[in-house]
Amino acid sequence: MRAALRTLLGDLRRFAYGLSGNGADADDLLQATVVRLLEKGVPDDADIRRWALRVCRNLWIDMIRAKRPNVSWDEAPEAADSAVDGETAAMARIELNQVQAAIAQLPPDQREVLSLVAVNGLSYREAAEIAEVPIGTIMSRLARARGALAERLGQAGEQAGDKGQGKRPGGKRIES
């Protein structure tokens, strides 16, 4: 069990960060998840990765209910060593901050699905099992999350074909 958990720590950390939005809460969530898994174990017929992600999600829900955290995206742990020179580092930091700010504005259910599918690479079916919702709900939440991110990052116009003037990514007019 401990060896299997060691291989999952990266995935769990990314998922916890995606849910919580900051490093400190992600570390707390990761620790609580590992403790819970070590104490309670994993059912014999369960896939350990999916079970661990589900435990992490459920603990996050419990944390939200307990303290209504202030979700803010701080520096992503993977981004620290990504730049080669000062200009590249500055541009990467600006882009990362823009993406993090856009993600932070998403509703929690959309952030969760984005983290499961886009960050952790789970299939829609796996994400639906973890989130305990139908696959169609996963697909619609992911589509709304991607659309909102594209709009917030200034890419909605390219997708809609009109430079974003009064249209949604799906092409429907927005009434102001």
Side-chain angles (χ1 to χ4, degrees):
M1 170 71 120
R2 290 177 189 263
L5 282 177
R6 277 190 208 105
T7 63
L8 293 173
L9 285 178
D11 287 347
L12 283 172
R13 174 65 166 85
R14 282 187 296 277
F15 184 56
Y17 187 85
L19 292 173
S20 66
N22 70 62
D25 285 343
D27 289 341
D28 291 346
L29 182 56
L30 175 63
Q31 182 178 354
T33 301
V34 171
V35 167
R36 176 73 53 93
L37 289 168
L38 290 173
E39 287 177 350
K40 305 278 184 176
V42 177
D44 293 334
D45 61 340
D47 175 86
I48 189 167
R49 181 173 188 239
R50 284 189 280 188
W51 186 262
L53 291 169
R54 179 178 281 174
V55 167
C56 184
R57 175 190 180 268
N58 291 340
L59 286 170
W60 175 244
I61 290 170
D62 292 345
M63 291 171 104
I64 288 173
R65 288 178 183 153
K67 69 174 186 171
R68 299 287 180 202
N70 180 14
V71 179
S72 64
W73 287 75
D74 58 5
E75 183 173 333
E78 296 83 10
D81 298 323
S82 65
V84 177
D85 61 33
E87 183 178 350
T88 304
M91 293 306 293
R93 170 56 48 212
I94 290 169
E95 290 175 13
L96 179 61
N97 287 340
Q98 290 172 341
V99 170
Q100 288 174 336
I103 291 172
Q105 294 174 8
L106 293 175
D109 61 337
Q110 290 179 16
R111 277 197 325 263
E112 174 188 16
V113 171
L114 195 64
S115 179
L116 286 170
V117 175
V119 176
N120 285 302
L122 297 179
S123 70
Y124 291 171
R125 181 174 310 286
E126 291 169 325
E129 289 172 8
I130 291 166
E132 298 175 329
V133 297
I135 291 176
T137 302
I138 294 294
M139 294 168 64
S140 65
R141 286 179 184 173
L142 188 59
R144 286 193 309 269
R146 287 176 174 161
L149 286 177
E151 187 173 312
R152 287 185 178 113
L153 296 173
Q155 299 170 357
E158 294 172 13
Q159 290 179 356
D162 74 341
K163 309 290 188 227
Q165 302 296 319
K167 285 196 176 184
R168 292 187 175 163
K172 296 182 180 174
R173 301 263 326 133
I174 299 173
E175 300 301 325
S176 301

